[in-house]
Amino acid sequence: MRHRLKDVAERAGVSVKTVSNVVNGYPHVRPDTRAKVEEAIAALKYRPNLSARNLRRGRTGIIALAVPKLGLPYFAELARHVVDAAAKHEWTVLIDQTNGSPEQERMVALGIRDHLIDGVIFSPLALTAADLATGSQRAPMVLLGERVHHGPADHVAIDNVAAARDMTAHLIALGRRRIAAIGVQHTEEGVTARLRLAGYTAALTAAGIPVDERLLVPASAWHRTEGAAGMRALLAAGARPDAVFCFNDTLALGALRALHEAGLRVPDDVAVAGFDGIEDGRFSVPTLTTIAPDKERLAQIAVDLLAARLSGPDGAPPQERLVDYQLRRGESA
């Protein structure tokens, strides 16, 4: 049996309005009265009707998280942190996979569907700042990733150039000089890849090491198969690196497999580094050296920014927030 406010009020000996004030955090309730109501709530295991509460507030209690690929562990782990952060606001999270499709991303930018969500946390690949600024945006939005900076909405990201520079400098400090890069992309959507390539190049230049184009390996998708294929192509071409910086961890896991098949030792023959700090990298053999963004913090900031937009005044300028990262040493480099 589900108890109602009236049941709590009768047990506590107060009015329904007083119970409502306690449940909704109204500050002007006498301490002894609040204690009686809270005791009654605990005894009856009363749970507020969130649907009714949200209806009164003109809210659904649902937010959306839209990411390109849930098959990439980084986005799956990020989604878990967003769900945890949203739970503190008693929000349900609707998760959408866009595949980087312009049509799907436009639907996200317009609020998924009318009256379905209160706001959206969105990692776009295809849309630009101009695309997001046009049309009628129906729900508050927080942007993730590198595709759109200084756009029409709050934005949370990490410094990809600095992180990639730090990882490449780490490999150089190990005495490696022929450092390959797997994951290069020159498409319009490949903003993250270009930033990580810029950091890689900056570290080599600072160390006086020329960039060898033969060591730059493209990957249209950042999956394990592309990492393995890229590593095999490097070895087949005779462009034997002594280290490889993969632009995400799944590429690195694929590269590890290809090196194992070729009979090469990691890190003795070839050091391997990744990016994203996914859980799988802690259990690979050898464990993966990686750039680990603070995904929990990133999710918390994104949810907090969305909450501020939902409760605050309209018209506040968009915020740009950077999240820290760590260079996490594993056994691979």
Side-chain angles (χ1 to χ4, degrees), residues 197-260:
L197 180 62
Y200 160 88
T201 302
L204 291 179
T205 301
I209 301 172
V211 176
D212 186 342
E213 296 288 335
R214 296 173 300 172
L215 298 177
L216 303 182
V217 183
S220 58
W222 286 359
H223 297 293
R224 296 167 183 83
T225 51
E226 284 76 12
M231 194 70 246
R232 293 187 191 112
L234 273 173
L235 298 175
R240 170 79 175 270
D242 58 13
V244 56
F245 173 31
C246 299
F247 286 178
N248 82 343
D249 286 347
T250 48
L251 288 170
L253 294 174
L256 285 176
R257 179 65 189 180
L259 288 166
H260 172 74

Side-chain angles (χ1 to χ4, degrees), residues 23-63:
V23 168
N24 289 290
Y26 187 70
H28 303 298
V29 178
R30 288 170 45 188
D32 57 335
T33 302
R34 184 182 301 276
K36 286 194 296 184
V37 172
E38 289 174 346
E39 181 181 350
I41 288 172
L44 296 175
K45 296 183 174 61
Y46 170 75
R47 294 177 61 193
N49 187 330
L50 297 181
S51 296
R53 182 193 297 180
N54 287 326
L55 184 62
R56 290 193 298 271
R57 295 175 177 175
R59 304 286 187 208
T60 66
I62 300 172
I63 66 167

Side-chain angles (χ1 to χ4, degrees), residues 55-136:
L55 184 62
R56 290 193 298 271
R57 295 175 177 175
R59 304 286 187 208
T60 66
I62 300 172
I63 66 167
L65 170 67
V67 298
K69 291 280 187 182
L70 282 169
L72 288 175
Y74 172 82
F75 288 116
E77 292 178 11
L78 178 65
R80 174 171 62 85
H81 289 303
V82 169
V83 169
D84 288 345
K88 299 173 185 176
H89 295 272
E90 298 180 326
W91 291 344
T92 297
V93 181
L94 174 68
I95 299 176
D96 190 25
Q97 176 176 273
T98 67
N99 293 306
S101 159
E103 293 76 18
Q104 186 73 7
E105 289 192 356
R106 285 191 189 94
M107 187 176 78
V108 170
L110 292 173
I112 309 288
R113 294 180 181 87
D114 287 348
H115 312 303
L116 180 60
I117 62 169
D118 296 330
V120 59
I121 298 171
F122 181 24
S123 179
L125 284 184
L127 301 189
T128 65
D131 295 325
L132 295 171
T134 59
S136 57

Side-chain angles (χ1 to χ4, degrees), residues 135-304:
S136 57
Q137 183 177 311
R138 293 183 175 87
M141 179 186 299
V142 176
L143 297 171
L144 306 178
E146 290 69 49
R147 177 60 167 152
V148 177
H149 283 266
H150 304 292
D154 296 326
H155 177 231
V156 190
I158 72 164
D159 189 336
N160 275 272
V161 175
R165 185 174 61 240
D166 287 349
M167 180 57 81
T168 308
H170 167 70
L171 295 173
I172 294 169
L174 296 177
R176 312 297 169 132
R177 290 296 180 270
R178 292 188 51 74
I179 303 171
I182 297 180
V184 176
Q185 296 176 344
H186 296 295
T187 61
E188 185 180 354
E189 296 82 10
V191 179
T192 302
R194 291 198 294 276
L195 293 173
R196 293 179 188 176
L197 180 62
Y200 160 88
T201 302
L204 291 179
T205 301
I209 301 172
V211 176
D212 186 342
E213 296 288 335
R214 296 173 300 172
L215 298 177
L216 303 182
V217 183
S220 58
W222 286 359
H223 297 293
R224 296 167 183 83
T225 51
E226 284 76 12
M231 194 70 246
R232 293 187 191 112
L234 273 173
L235 298 175
R240 170 79 175 270
D242 58 13
V244 56
F245 173 31
C246 299
F247 286 178
N248 82 343
D249 286 347
T250 48
L251 288 170
L253 294 174
L256 285 176
R257 179 65 189 180
L259 288 166
H260 172 74
E261 291 172 349
L264 294 171
R265 298 167 302 164
V266 178
D268 303 63
D269 299 320
V270 183
V272 176
F275 200 117
D276 282 346
I278 66 173
E279 193 69 14
D280 288 356
R282 295 177 182 266
F283 297 93
S284 60
V285 180
T287 56
L288 191 60
T289 293
T290 184
I291 293 291
D294 189 342
K295 293 186 282 290
E296 182 177 3
R297 180 66 178 151
L298 189 153
Q300 186 64 62
I301 290 174
V303 168
D304 287 348

Side-chain angles (χ1 to χ4, degrees), residues 306-329:
L306 196 58
R309 290 291 169 186
L310 288 168
S311 61
D314 294 333
Q319 295 187 50
E320 292 278 340
R321 302 282 295 274
L322 280 179
V323 174
D324 289 339
Y325 60 86
Q326 290 182 332
L327 195 160
R328 183 189 296 159
R329 288 288 305 273

